[in-house]
PDB file of all heavy atoms in Angstrom:
ATOM      1  N   ARG A 158      78.544 106.563 147.918  1.00  0.00           N
ATOM      2  CA  ARG A 158      79.068 107.441 148.987  1.00  0.00           C
ATOM      3  C   ARG A 158      79.089 106.774 150.281  1.00  0.00           C
ATOM      4  O   ARG A 158      78.028 105.949 150.531  1.00  0.00           O
ATOM      5  CB  ARG A 158      78.244 108.712 149.047  1.00  0.00           C
ATOM      6  CG  ARG A 158      79.134 109.983 149.464  1.00  0.00           C
ATOM      7  CD  ARG A 158      78.210 111.110 149.483  1.00  0.00           C
ATOM      8  NE  ARG A 158      78.968 112.324 149.730  1.00  0.00           N
ATOM      9  CZ  ARG A 158      78.333 113.546 149.993  1.00  0.00           C
ATOM     10  NH1 ARG A 158      77.224 113.610 150.341  1.00  0.00           N
ATOM     11  NH2 ARG A 158      79.191 114.609 150.327  1.00  0.00           N
ATOM     12  N   VAL A 159      80.041 106.996 151.080  1.00  0.00           N
ATOM     13  CA  VAL A 159      80.099 106.576 152.506  1.00  0.00           C
ATOM     14  C   VAL A 159      80.217 107.854 153.323  1.00  0.00           C
ATOM     15  O   VAL A 159      81.021 108.683 153.022  1.00  0.00           O
ATOM     16  CB  VAL A 159      81.432 105.626 152.660  1.00  0.00           C
ATOM     17  CG1 VAL A 159      81.432 105.297 154.253  1.00  0.00           C
ATOM     18  CG2 VAL A 159      81.354 104.475 151.914  1.00  0.00           C
ATOM     19  N   GLY A 160      79.501 107.874 154.406  1.00  0.00           N
ATOM     20  CA  GLY A 160      79.460 109.120 155.222  1.00  0.00           C
ATOM     21  C   GLY A 160      79.244 108.633 156.772  1.00  0.00           C
ATOM     22  O   GLY A 160      78.910 107.558 157.095  1.00  0.00           O
ATOM     23  N   TYR A 161      79.421 109.674 157.590  1.00  0.00           N
ATOM     24  CA  TYR A 161      79.492 109.478 159.044  1.00  0.00           C
ATOM     25  C   TYR A 161      78.730 110.612 159.791  1.00  0.00           C
ATOM     26  O   TYR A 161      78.744 111.698 159.355  1.00  0.00           O
ATOM     27  CB  TYR A 161      80.769 109.370 159.560  1.00  0.00           C
ATOM     28  CG  TYR A 161      81.431 108.014 159.421  1.00  0.00           C
ATOM     29  CD1 TYR A 161      82.205 107.643 158.435  1.00  0.00           C
ATOM     30  CD2 TYR A 161      81.197 107.014 160.371  1.00  0.00           C
ATOM     31  CE1 TYR A 161      82.738 106.390 158.285  1.00  0.00           C
ATOM     32  CE2 TYR A 161      81.700 105.806 160.182  1.00  0.00           C
ATOM     33  CZ  TYR A 161      82.505 105.389 159.149  1.00  0.00           C
ATOM     34  OH  TYR A 161      83.041 104.222 159.009  1.00  0.00           O
ATOM     35  N   VAL A 162      78.000 110.251 160.812  1.00  0.00           N
ATOM     36  CA  VAL A 162      77.339 111.178 161.674  1.00  0.00           C
ATOM     37  C   VAL A 162      77.737 110.804 163.073  1.00  0.00           C
ATOM     38  O   VAL A 162      77.729 109.676 163.445  1.00  0.00           O
ATOM     39  CB  VAL A 162      75.834 111.168 161.580  1.00  0.00           C
ATOM     40  CG1 VAL A 162      75.193 112.373 162.502  1.00  0.00           C
ATOM     41  CG2 VAL A 162      75.383 111.282 160.032  1.00  0.00           C
ATOM     42  N   TRP A 163      78.087 111.744 163.968  1.00  0.00           N
ATOM     43  CA  TRP A 163      78.552 111.521 165.293  1.00  0.00           C
ATOM     44  C   TRP A 163      78.304 112.417 166.247  1.00  0.00           C
ATOM     45  O   TRP A 163      77.896 113.563 165.960  1.00  0.00           O
ATOM     46  CB  TRP A 163      79.977 111.070 165.358  1.00  0.00           C
ATOM     47  CG  TRP A 163      80.837 112.343 164.802  1.00  0.00           C
ATOM     48  CD1 TRP A 163      81.295 112.513 163.498  1.00  0.00           C
ATOM     49  CD2 TRP A 163      81.466 113.388 165.629  1.00  0.00           C
ATOM     50  NE1 TRP A 163      82.055 113.655 163.329  1.00  0.00           N
ATOM     51  CE2 TRP A 163      82.131 114.215 164.617  1.00  0.00           C
ATOM     52  CE3 TRP A 163      81.381 113.838 167.008  1.00  0.00           C
ATOM     53  CZ2 TRP A 163      82.802 115.447 164.972  1.00  0.00           C
ATOM     54  CZ3 TRP A 163      82.055 114.956 167.272  1.00  0.00           C
ATOM     55  CH2 TRP A 163      82.781 115.661 166.388  1.00  0.00           C
ATOM     56  N   LEU A 164      78.105 112.051 167.513  1.00  0.00           N
ATOM     57  CA  LEU A 164      77.818 112.989 168.625  1.00  0.00           C
ATOM     58  C   LEU A 164      78.593 112.598 169.784  1.00  0.00           C
ATOM     59  O   LEU A 164      78.804 111.502 170.200  1.00  0.00           O
ATOM     60  CB  LEU A 164      76.212 112.720 169.151  1.00  0.00           C
ATOM     61  CG  LEU A 164      75.840 113.546 170.328  1.00  0.00           C
ATOM     62  CD1 LEU A 164      75.674 115.014 170.021  1.00  0.00           C
ATOM     63  CD2 LEU A 164      74.374 113.093 170.646  1.00  0.00           C
ATOM     64  N   GLU A 165      79.317 113.643 170.299  1.00  0.00           N
ATOM     65  CA  GLU A 165      80.100 113.499 171.431  1.00  0.00           C
ATOM     66  C   GLU A 165      79.522 114.013 172.685  1.00  0.00           C
ATOM     67  O   GLU A 165      78.902 115.070 172.769  1.00  0.00           O
ATOM     68  CB  GLU A 165      81.495 114.245 171.197  1.00  0.00           C
ATOM     69  CG  GLU A 165      82.488 114.170 172.327  1.00  0.00           C
ATOM     70  CD  GLU A 165      83.671 115.169 172.148  1.00  0.00           C
ATOM     71  OE1 GLU A 165      84.675 114.652 171.394  1.00  0.00           O
ATOM     72  OE2 GLU A 165      83.635 116.334 172.630  1.00  0.00           O
ATOM     73  N   LEU A 166      79.618 113.214 173.801  1.00  0.00           N
ATOM     74  CA  LEU A 166      79.144 113.497 175.120  1.00  0.00           C
ATOM     75  C   LEU A 166      80.148 113.585 176.169  1.00  0.00           C
ATOM     76  O   LEU A 166      81.298 112.918 175.924  1.00  0.00           O
ATOM     77  CB  LEU A 166      78.063 112.451 175.579  1.00  0.00           C
ATOM     78  CG  LEU A 166      76.934 112.269 174.551  1.00  0.00           C
ATOM     79  CD1 LEU A 166      76.183 110.944 174.956  1.00  0.00           C
ATOM     80  CD2 LEU A 166      75.993 113.344 174.510  1.00  0.00           C
ATOM     81  N   CYS A 167      80.036 114.332 177.239  1.00  0.00           N
ATOM     82  CA  CYS A 167      81.115 114.563 178.162  1.00  0.00           C
ATOM     83  C   CYS A 167      80.424 114.774 179.557  1.00  0.00           C
ATOM     84  O   CYS A 167      79.339 115.290 179.679  1.00  0.00           O
ATOM     85  CB  CYS A 167      81.923 115.655 177.862  1.00  0.00           C
ATOM     86  SG  CYS A 167      83.185 116.041 179.119  1.00  0.00           S
ATOM     87  N   ARG A 168      80.993 114.163 180.574  1.00  0.00           N
ATOM     88  CA  ARG A 168      80.641 114.336 182.003  1.00  0.00           C
ATOM     89  C   ARG A 168      81.850 114.537 182.745  1.00  0.00           C
ATOM     90  O   ARG A 168      82.982 114.015 182.531  1.00  0.00           O
ATOM     91  CB  ARG A 168      79.740 113.292 182.500  1.00  0.00           C
ATOM     92  CG  ARG A 168      80.486 111.862 182.781  1.00  0.00           C
ATOM     93  CD  ARG A 168      79.426 110.987 183.383  1.00  0.00           C
ATOM     94  NE  ARG A 168      80.029 109.615 183.675  1.00  0.00           N
ATOM     95  CZ  ARG A 168      80.635 109.392 184.831  1.00  0.00           C
ATOM     96  NH1 ARG A 168      80.618 110.294 185.833  1.00  0.00           N
ATOM     97  NH2 ARG A 168      81.075 107.982 184.978  1.00  0.00           N
ATOM     98  N   ASP A 169      81.789 115.170 183.925  1.00  0.00           N
ATOM     99  CA  ASP A 169      82.879 115.396 184.890  1.00  0.00           C
ATOM    100  C   ASP A 169      83.004 114.158 185.749  1.00  0.00           C
ATOM    101  O   ASP A 169      82.006 113.472 186.099  1.00  0.00           O
ATOM    102  CB  ASP A 169      82.767 116.547 185.722  1.00  0.00           C
ATOM    103  CG  ASP A 169      82.670 117.868 184.867  1.00  0.00           C
ATOM    104  OD1 ASP A 169      83.144 117.884 183.769  1.00  0.00           O
ATOM    105  OD2 ASP A 169      82.143 118.852 185.429  1.00  0.00           O
ATOM    106  N   SER A 170      84.184 113.706 186.070  1.00  0.00           N
ATOM    107  CA  SER A 170      84.431 112.576 186.951  1.00  0.00           C
ATOM    108  C   SER A 170      85.603 112.950 187.904  1.00  0.00           C
ATOM    109  O   SER A 170      86.309 113.975 187.614  1.00  0.00           O
ATOM    110  CB  SER A 170      84.895 111.390 186.152  1.00  0.00           C
ATOM    111  OG  SER A 170      86.094 111.415 185.536  1.00  0.00           O
ATOM    112  N   PRO A 171      85.906 112.198 188.920  1.00  0.00           N
ATOM    113  CA  PRO A 171      86.930 112.522 189.924  1.00  0.00           C
ATOM    114  C   PRO A 171      88.319 112.644 189.151  1.00  0.00           C
ATOM    115  O   PRO A 171      89.237 113.234 189.764  1.00  0.00           O
ATOM    116  CB  PRO A 171      86.837 111.465 190.976  1.00  0.00           C
ATOM    117  CG  PRO A 171      85.410 111.068 190.816  1.00  0.00           C
ATOM    118  CD  PRO A 171      84.884 111.188 189.381  1.00  0.00           C
ATOM    119  N   THR A 172      88.419 111.881 188.083  1.00  0.00           N
ATOM    120  CA  THR A 172      89.783 111.827 187.441  1.00  0.00           C
ATOM    121  C   THR A 172      89.774 112.846 186.290  1.00  0.00           C
ATOM    122  O   THR A 172      90.766 112.752 185.418  1.00  0.00           O
ATOM    123  CB  THR A 172      90.015 110.373 186.923  1.00  0.00           C
ATOM    124  OG1 THR A 172      89.081 109.971 186.029  1.00  0.00           O
ATOM    125  CG2 THR A 172      90.085 109.476 188.010  1.00  0.00           C
ATOM    126  N   GLY A 173      88.668 113.570 186.120  1.00  0.00           N
ATOM    127  CA  GLY A 173      88.698 114.593 184.931  1.00  0.00           C
ATOM    128  C   GLY A 173      87.584 114.187 184.022  1.00  0.00           C
ATOM    129  O   GLY A 173      86.729 113.327 184.257  1.00  0.00           O
ATOM    130  N   PRO A 174      87.456 115.014 182.968  1.00  0.00           N
ATOM    131  CA  PRO A 174      86.435 114.826 181.988  1.00  0.00           C
ATOM    132  C   PRO A 174      86.382 113.487 181.412  1.00  0.00           C
ATOM    133  O   PRO A 174      87.457 112.963 180.957  1.00  0.00           O
ATOM    134  CB  PRO A 174      86.633 115.965 180.801  1.00  0.00           C
ATOM    135  CG  PRO A 174      87.551 116.956 181.508  1.00  0.00           C
ATOM    136  CD  PRO A 174      88.294 116.222 182.427  1.00  0.00           C
ATOM    137  N   ARG A 175      85.186 112.897 181.150  1.00  0.00           N
ATOM    138  CA  ARG A 175      85.099 111.547 180.484  1.00  0.00           C
ATOM    139  C   ARG A 175      84.167 111.825 179.276  1.00  0.00           C
ATOM    140  O   ARG A 175      83.035 112.228 179.353  1.00  0.00           O
ATOM    141  CB  ARG A 175      84.328 110.621 181.434  1.00  0.00           C
ATOM    142  CG  ARG A 175      84.208 109.187 180.801  1.00  0.00           C
ATOM    143  CD  ARG A 175      83.350 108.256 181.560  1.00  0.00           C
ATOM    144  NE  ARG A 175      83.045 107.027 180.824  1.00  0.00           N
ATOM    145  CZ  ARG A 175      82.219 106.139 181.237  1.00  0.00           C
ATOM    146  NH1 ARG A 175      81.453 106.247 182.240  1.00  0.00           N
ATOM    147  NH2 ARG A 175      82.029 105.003 180.468  1.00  0.00           N
ATOM    148  N   PHE A 176      84.904 111.395 178.146  1.00  0.00           N
ATOM    149  CA  PHE A 176      84.116 111.564 176.809  1.00  0.00           C
ATOM    150  C   PHE A 176      83.642 110.201 176.256  1.00  0.00           C
ATOM    151  O   PHE A 176      84.270 109.253 176.498  1.00  0.00           O
ATOM    152  CB  PHE A 176      85.143 112.180 175.897  1.00  0.00           C
ATOM    153  CG  PHE A 176      85.502 113.613 176.199  1.00  0.00           C
ATOM    154  CD1 PHE A 176      86.726 113.820 176.861  1.00  0.00           C
ATOM    155  CD2 PHE A 176      84.731 114.750 175.741  1.00  0.00           C
ATOM    156  CE1 PHE A 176      87.109 115.205 177.178  1.00  0.00           C
ATOM    157  CE2 PHE A 176      85.169 115.960 176.010  1.00  0.00           C
ATOM    158  CZ  PHE A 176      86.224 116.262 176.734  1.00  0.00           C
ATOM    159  N   VAL A 177      82.488 110.309 175.672  1.00  0.00           N
ATOM    160  CA  VAL A 177      81.930 109.156 174.953  1.00  0.00           C
ATOM    161  C   VAL A 177      81.519 109.695 173.547  1.00  0.00           C
ATOM    162  O   VAL A 177      80.788 110.734 173.471  1.00  0.00           O
ATOM    163  CB  VAL A 177      80.785 108.494 175.680  1.00  0.00           C
ATOM    164  CG1 VAL A 177      80.112 107.414 174.887  1.00  0.00           C
ATOM    165  CG2 VAL A 177      81.332 107.777 176.992  1.00  0.00           C
ATOM    166  N   THR A 178      81.717 108.935 172.531  1.00  0.00           N
ATOM    167  CA  THR A 178      81.255 109.339 171.191  1.00  0.00           C
ATOM    168  C   THR A 178      80.386 108.212 170.693  1.00  0.00           C
ATOM    169  O   THR A 178      80.669 107.005 170.684  1.00  0.00           O
ATOM    170  CB  THR A 178      82.463 109.520 170.211  1.00  0.00           C
ATOM    171  OG1 THR A 178      83.363 110.515 170.642  1.00  0.00           O
ATOM    172  CG2 THR A 178      82.019 109.776 168.763  1.00  0.00           C
ATOM    173  N   ILE A 179      79.217 108.563 170.315  1.00  0.00           N
ATOM    174  CA  ILE A 179      78.308 107.643 169.624  1.00  0.00           C
ATOM    175  C   ILE A 179      78.178 108.054 168.098  1.00  0.00           C
ATOM    176  O   ILE A 179      78.207 109.320 167.893  1.00  0.00           O
ATOM    177  CB  ILE A 179      76.974 107.657 170.308  1.00  0.00           C
ATOM    178  CG1 ILE A 179      76.177 108.898 170.296  1.00  0.00           C
ATOM    179  CG2 ILE A 179      77.001 107.016 171.744  1.00  0.00           C
ATOM    180  CD1 ILE A 179      74.763 108.961 170.824  1.00  0.00           C
ATOM    181  N   GLY A 180      78.132 107.216 167.217  1.00  0.00           N
ATOM    182  CA  GLY A 180      78.058 107.551 165.902  1.00  0.00           C
ATOM    183  C   GLY A 180      77.514 106.541 165.030  1.00  0.00           C
ATOM    184  O   GLY A 180      77.167 105.296 165.425  1.00  0.00           O
ATOM    185  N   ALA A 181      77.298 106.857 163.721  1.00  0.00           N
ATOM    186  CA  ALA A 181      76.774 105.912 162.683  1.00  0.00           C
ATOM    187  C   ALA A 181      77.583 106.268 161.444  1.00  0.00           C
ATOM    188  O   ALA A 181      77.755 107.332 160.990  1.00  0.00           O
ATOM    189  CB  ALA A 181      75.257 106.143 162.508  1.00  0.00           C
ATOM    190  N   GLY A 182      77.713 105.056 160.718  1.00  0.00           N
ATOM    191  CA  GLY A 182      78.387 105.193 159.341  1.00  0.00           C
ATOM    192  C   GLY A 182      77.294 104.634 158.394  1.00  0.00           C
ATOM    193  O   GLY A 182      76.399 103.814 158.778  1.00  0.00           O
ATOM    194  N   ALA A 183      77.363 105.152 157.157  1.00  0.00           N
ATOM    195  CA  ALA A 183      76.323 104.476 156.189  1.00  0.00           C
ATOM    196  C   ALA A 183      77.074 104.478 154.820  1.00  0.00           C
ATOM    197  O   ALA A 183      77.823 105.379 154.510  1.00  0.00           O
ATOM    198  CB  ALA A 183      75.143 105.460 156.192  1.00  0.00           C
ATOM    199  N   ARG A 184      76.569 103.548 154.122  1.00  0.00           N
ATOM    200  CA  ARG A 184      77.053 103.463 152.641  1.00  0.00           C
ATOM    201  C   ARG A 184      75.774 103.120 151.751  1.00  0.00           C
ATOM    202  O   ARG A 184      74.978 102.402 152.102  1.00  0.00           O
ATOM    203  CB  ARG A 184      78.023 102.283 152.510  1.00  0.00           C
ATOM    204  CG  ARG A 184      78.515 102.163 151.056  1.00  0.00           C
ATOM    205  CD  ARG A 184      79.549 100.991 151.009  1.00  0.00           C
ATOM    206  NE  ARG A 184      79.994 100.902 149.561  1.00  0.00           N
ATOM    207  CZ  ARG A 184      79.453 100.195 148.620  1.00  0.00           C
ATOM    208  NH1 ARG A 184      78.356  99.506 148.890  1.00  0.00           N
ATOM    209  NH2 ARG A 184      80.064 100.087 147.336  1.00  0.00           N
ATOM    210  N   ALA A 185      75.819 103.955 150.605  1.00  0.00           N
ATOM    211  CA  ALA A 185      74.685 103.686 149.690  1.00  0.00           C
ATOM    212  C   ALA A 185      75.202 103.898 148.179  1.00  0.00           C
ATOM    213  O   ALA A 185      76.132 104.641 148.060  1.00  0.00           O
ATOM    214  CB  ALA A 185      73.625 104.602 149.997  1.00  0.00           C
ATOM    215  N   THR A 186      74.543 103.253 147.424  1.00  0.00           N
ATOM    216  CA  THR A 186      74.650 103.414 145.934  1.00  0.00           C
ATOM    217  C   THR A 186      73.407 103.789 145.330  1.00  0.00           C
ATOM    218  O   THR A 186      72.300 103.550 145.835  1.00  0.00           O
ATOM    219  CB  THR A 186      75.473 102.168 145.212  1.00  0.00           C
ATOM    220  OG1 THR A 186      74.432 101.239 145.211  1.00  0.00           O
ATOM    221  CG2 THR A 186      76.551 101.715 146.006  1.00  0.00           C
ATOM    222  N   SER A 187      73.477 104.309 144.098  1.00  0.00           N
ATOM    223  CA  SER A 187      72.198 104.687 143.353  1.00  0.00           C
ATOM    224  C   SER A 187      71.344 103.437 143.154  1.00  0.00           C
ATOM    225  O   SER A 187      70.215 103.553 143.054  1.00  0.00           O
ATOM    226  CB  SER A 187      72.547 105.388 142.117  1.00  0.00           C
ATOM    227  OG  SER A 187      73.231 104.592 141.124  1.00  0.00           O
ATOM    228  N   ALA A 188      71.904 102.273 143.101  1.00  0.00           N
ATOM    229  CA  ALA A 188      71.159 101.133 142.825  1.00  0.00           C
ATOM    230  C   ALA A 188      70.747 100.322 144.046  1.00  0.00           C
ATOM    231  O   ALA A 188      69.978  99.296 143.871  1.00  0.00           O
ATOM    232  CB  ALA A 188      72.098 100.167 141.827  1.00  0.00           C
ATOM    233  N   ARG A 189      71.359 100.661 145.208  1.00  0.00           N
ATOM    234  CA  ARG A 189      71.056  99.816 146.466  1.00  0.00           C
ATOM    235  C   ARG A 189      70.685 100.738 147.575  1.00  0.00           C
ATOM    236  O   ARG A 189      71.224 101.894 147.553  1.00  0.00           O
ATOM    237  CB  ARG A 189      72.328  99.011 146.718  1.00  0.00           C
ATOM    238  CG  ARG A 189      72.723  97.941 145.578  1.00  0.00           C
ATOM    239  CD  ARG A 189      73.932  97.070 146.208  1.00  0.00           C
ATOM    240  NE  ARG A 189      73.472  96.363 147.305  1.00  0.00           N
ATOM    241  CZ  ARG A 189      74.375  95.509 147.973  1.00  0.00           C
ATOM    242  NH1 ARG A 189      75.636  95.436 147.556  1.00  0.00           N
ATOM    243  NH2 ARG A 189      74.051  94.916 148.957  1.00  0.00           N
ATOM    244  N   ASP A 190      69.946 100.190 148.462  1.00  0.00           N
ATOM    245  CA  ASP A 190      69.596 101.022 149.523  1.00  0.00           C
ATOM    246  C   ASP A 190      70.887 101.128 150.638  1.00  0.00           C
ATOM    247  O   ASP A 190      71.808 100.379 150.428  1.00  0.00           O
ATOM    248  CB  ASP A 190      68.448 100.269 150.422  1.00  0.00           C
ATOM    249  CG  ASP A 190      67.159 100.328 149.619  1.00  0.00           C
ATOM    250  OD1 ASP A 190      66.980 101.172 148.780  1.00  0.00           O
ATOM    251  OD2 ASP A 190      66.330  99.518 149.904  1.00  0.00           O
ATOM    252  N   ALA A 191      70.627 101.973 151.595  1.00  0.00           N
ATOM    253  CA  ALA A 191      71.708 102.243 152.402  1.00  0.00           C
ATOM    254  C   ALA A 191      71.936 101.212 153.450  1.00  0.00           C
ATOM    255  O   ALA A 191      71.031 100.521 153.993  1.00  0.00           O
ATOM    256  CB  ALA A 191      71.616 103.562 153.144  1.00  0.00           C
ATOM    257  N   GLU A 192      73.250 100.798 153.612  1.00  0.00           N
ATOM    258  CA  GLU A 192      73.575 100.046 154.747  1.00  0.00           C
ATOM    259  C   GLU A 192      74.203 100.938 155.959  1.00  0.00           C
ATOM    260  O   GLU A 192      75.010 101.768 155.631  1.00  0.00           O
ATOM    261  CB  GLU A 192      74.674  99.019 154.282  1.00  0.00           C
ATOM    262  CG  GLU A 192      75.318  98.247 155.435  1.00  0.00           C
ATOM    263  CD  GLU A 192      76.594  97.406 155.005  1.00  0.00           C
ATOM    264  OE1 GLU A 192      77.286  97.858 154.106  1.00  0.00           O
ATOM    265  OE2 GLU A 192      76.835  96.442 155.698  1.00  0.00           O
ATOM    266  N   THR A 193      73.841 100.648 157.119  1.00  0.00           N
ATOM    267  CA  THR A 193      74.244 101.405 158.265  1.00  0.00           C
ATOM    268  C   THR A 193      74.932 100.631 159.253  1.00  0.00           C
ATOM    269  O   THR A 193      74.568  99.453 159.582  1.00  0.00           O
ATOM    270  CB  THR A 193      73.021 102.241 158.904  1.00  0.00           C
ATOM    271  OG1 THR A 193      72.052 101.401 159.272  1.00  0.00           O
ATOM    272  CG2 THR A 193      72.492 103.176 157.875  1.00  0.00           C
ATOM    273  N   TRP A 194      75.830 101.268 160.043  1.00  0.00           N
ATOM    274  CA  TRP A 194      76.446 100.606 161.174  1.00  0.00           C
ATOM    275  C   TRP A 194      76.681 101.639 162.225  1.00  0.00           C
ATOM    276  O   TRP A 194      76.726 102.876 162.004  1.00  0.00           O
ATOM    277  CB  TRP A 194      77.731  99.948 160.836  1.00  0.00           C
ATOM    278  CG  TRP A 194      78.813 100.880 160.022  1.00  0.00           C
ATOM    279  CD1 TRP A 194      79.853 101.526 160.688  1.00  0.00           C
ATOM    280  CD2 TRP A 194      78.936 101.187 158.661  1.00  0.00           C
ATOM    281  NE1 TRP A 194      80.519 102.275 159.766  1.00  0.00           N
ATOM    282  CE2 TRP A 194      79.917 101.992 158.421  1.00  0.00           C
ATOM    283  CE3 TRP A 194      78.237 100.610 157.550  1.00  0.00           C
ATOM    284  CZ2 TRP A 194      80.312 102.445 157.215  1.00  0.00           C
ATOM    285  CZ3 TRP A 194      78.563 101.090 156.284  1.00  0.00           C
ATOM    286  CH2 TRP A 194      79.553 102.004 156.062  1.00  0.00           C
ATOM    287  N   PHE A 195      76.776 101.182 163.477  1.00  0.00           N
ATOM    288  CA  PHE A 195      76.806 102.100 164.689  1.00  0.00           C
ATOM    289  C   PHE A 195      77.983 101.723 165.597  1.00  0.00           C
ATOM    290  O   PHE A 195      78.464 100.697 165.570  1.00  0.00           O
ATOM    291  CB  PHE A 195      75.455 102.024 165.388  1.00  0.00           C
ATOM    292  CG  PHE A 195      74.188 102.298 164.524  1.00  0.00           C
ATOM    293  CD1 PHE A 195      73.688 101.372 163.886  1.00  0.00           C
ATOM    294  CD2 PHE A 195      73.742 103.577 164.534  1.00  0.00           C
ATOM    295  CE1 PHE A 195      72.562 101.595 162.942  1.00  0.00           C
ATOM    296  CE2 PHE A 195      72.750 103.847 163.630  1.00  0.00           C
ATOM    297  CZ  PHE A 195      72.005 102.845 162.898  1.00  0.00           C
TER     298      PHE A 195
END
């Protein structure tokens, strides 16, 4: 299986809302440990 987890942040700026998304993806099999990337 491959899955994702993410969190969106926002702040106000003179030009309007500024969004930033931080997240992580992961892949695992029953025979191998999970590999993660950010």
Side-chain angles (χ1 to χ4, degrees):
R158 206 179 190 196
V159 177
Y161 279 91
V162 185
W163 54 271
L164 176 67
E165 179 186 272
L166 307 167
C167 177
R168 72 175 180 88
D169 297 337
S170 72
T172 58
R175 180 188 174 192
F176 292 95
V177 172
T178 301
I179 60 176
R184 178 181 183 273
T186 68
S187 59
R189 299 183 60 182
D190 290 337
E192 173 193 25
T193 56
W194 55 92
F195 302 87

